[in-house]
């Protein structure tokens, strides 16, 4: 058992050493993103980026499900609201509520695939296009400012950044989305335990389906955790 443990530790050390040598930029981007998500002060300043992705997920699924999209609002407390028109029950509304929490994680994994394929610049321009599409549907001043500020930062890096800067920034954004998606689900579950999220996506899904809110929260956990694993595999291995 002792030899097995020593061998496992040595394998971990060798793997980390190889990653530090071969992918220092990606590792640094992961550390910076993890700090931004874990440190509450930075998280309060950056969480709106995750909210933009979250509400964009609601908006996209609403349109794909055939519902009318009325608008998106982002608030200074980092919450958001996407309003759509259509039937008050049924699969279209279920998919609309289901599309929010997985969206940041899925965007992060999709971006990671492009970064790993040396297409960081393309990933940034796609992000800029998605932000522009979101801006069209924003219906309040704070939301417009938040999306414009995020888009301006991405545009500067995409348009004028050196390739190494683009690679590092794109990787950091991917890491931030998958880590942030996981923390957002954690906050959802903590809020539900405290009785603070009676109108959360999980609770709304529970009202629209036979399944309890805890099951939907568990599904969000599974998707967010799987996205982190997928991003680690794609970007590092």
């Amino acid at each position: 058992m002792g030899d097995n443990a020593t061998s496992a530790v040595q394998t971990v050390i060798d793997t980390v050493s190889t990653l530090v040598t071969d992918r220092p930029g990606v590792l640094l981007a992961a550390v910076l993103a993890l700090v931004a998500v874990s440190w509450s002060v930075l998280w309060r300043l950056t969480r709106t980026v995750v909210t933009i992705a979250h509400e964009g997920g609601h908006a996209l699924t609403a349109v794909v499900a055939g519902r009318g999209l009325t608008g998106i609002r982002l608030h200074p407390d980092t919450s958001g609201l996407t309003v759509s028109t259509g039937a008050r029950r049924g699969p279209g509304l279920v998919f609309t509520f289901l599309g929010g929490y997985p969206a940041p994680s899925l965007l992060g994994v999709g971006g990671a695939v492009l970064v790993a394929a040396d297409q960081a610049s393309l990933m940034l321009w796609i992000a800029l296009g998605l932000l522009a599409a979101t801006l069209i549907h924003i219906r309040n001043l704070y939301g417009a400012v938040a999306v414009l500020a995020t888009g301006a930062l991405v545009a500067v890096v995409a348009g004028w950044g050196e390739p190494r800067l683009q690679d590092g920034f794109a990787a950091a954004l991917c890491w931030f989305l998958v880590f942030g998606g996981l923390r957002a689900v954690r906050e959802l579950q903590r809020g539900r335990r405290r009785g603070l999220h009676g109108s959360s996506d999980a609770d709304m899904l529970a009202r629209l389906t036979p399944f309890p809110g805890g099951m939907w929260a568990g599904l969000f956990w599974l998707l967010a955790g799987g996205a982190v694993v997928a991003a680690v595999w794609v970007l590092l291995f």
Side-chain angles (χ1 to χ4, degrees):
M1 183 66 70
D3 291 340
N4 290 337
T6 302
S7 177
V9 170
Q10 186 60 48
T11 299
V12 171
I13 293 174
D14 292 342
T15 301
V16 172
S17 177
T18 301
L19 290 174
V20 169
T21 302
D22 295 344
R23 299 180 180 274
V26 175
L27 280 177
L28 178 60
V31 171
L32 293 176
L34 191 59
V35 170
V37 171
S38 302
W39 189 14
S40 296
V41 175
L42 284 178
W43 177 240
R44 284 194 295 269
L45 294 174
T46 58
R47 193 192 190 286
T48 298
V49 175
V50 174
T51 304
I52 293 171
H54 178 110
E55 298 305 327
H58 283 311
L60 179 60
T61 51
V63 172
V64 171
R67 297 179 62 82
L69 182 59
T70 302
I72 301 171
R73 291 178 176 270
L74 305 173
H75 304 131
D77 64 355
T78 73
S79 65
L81 177 67
T82 298
V83 180
S84 63
T85 58
R88 295 186 178 183
R89 299 193 71 86
L93 190 56
V94 170
F95 280 115
T96 298
F97 279 111
L98 186 60
Y101 277 98
S105 300
L106 295 177
L107 285 172
V109 172
V113 171
L114 290 175
V115 171
D118 294 326
Q119 297 294 326
S121 179
L122 175 61
M123 177 257 175
L124 293 175
W125 284 111
I126 291 175
L128 197 58
L130 293 174
L131 287 167
T134 302
L135 181 62
I136 294 172
H137 298 286
I138 292 292
R139 297 293 180 265
N140 67 324
L141 179 60
Y142 178 83
V145 171
V147 174
L148 282 171
T150 305
L153 178 59
V154 175
V156 167
V157 177
W160 294 278
E162 296 293 328
R164 287 185 63 185
L165 175 61
Q166 291 181 356
D167 290 344
F169 182 84
L173 182 56
C174 294
W175 287 121
F176 178 78
L177 286 171
V178 295
F179 292 152
L182 189 63
R183 174 154 183 176
V185 174
R186 175 173 173 267
E187 290 178 347
L188 165 71
Q189 193 150 19
R190 290 180 64 184
R192 292 188 72 252
R193 287 174 180 170
R194 297 174 183 175
L196 301 177
H197 285 261
S199 60
S200 72
D201 292 353
D203 293 308
M204 294 303 296
L205 286 165
R207 296 189 184 106
L208 293 168
T209 68
F211 307 108
M215 190 214 76
W216 292 110
L219 176 62
F220 294 152
W221 265 115
L222 181 64
L223 292 174
V228 172
V229 174
V232 169
W233 180 258
V234 170
L235 288 173
L236 295 180
F237 298 103

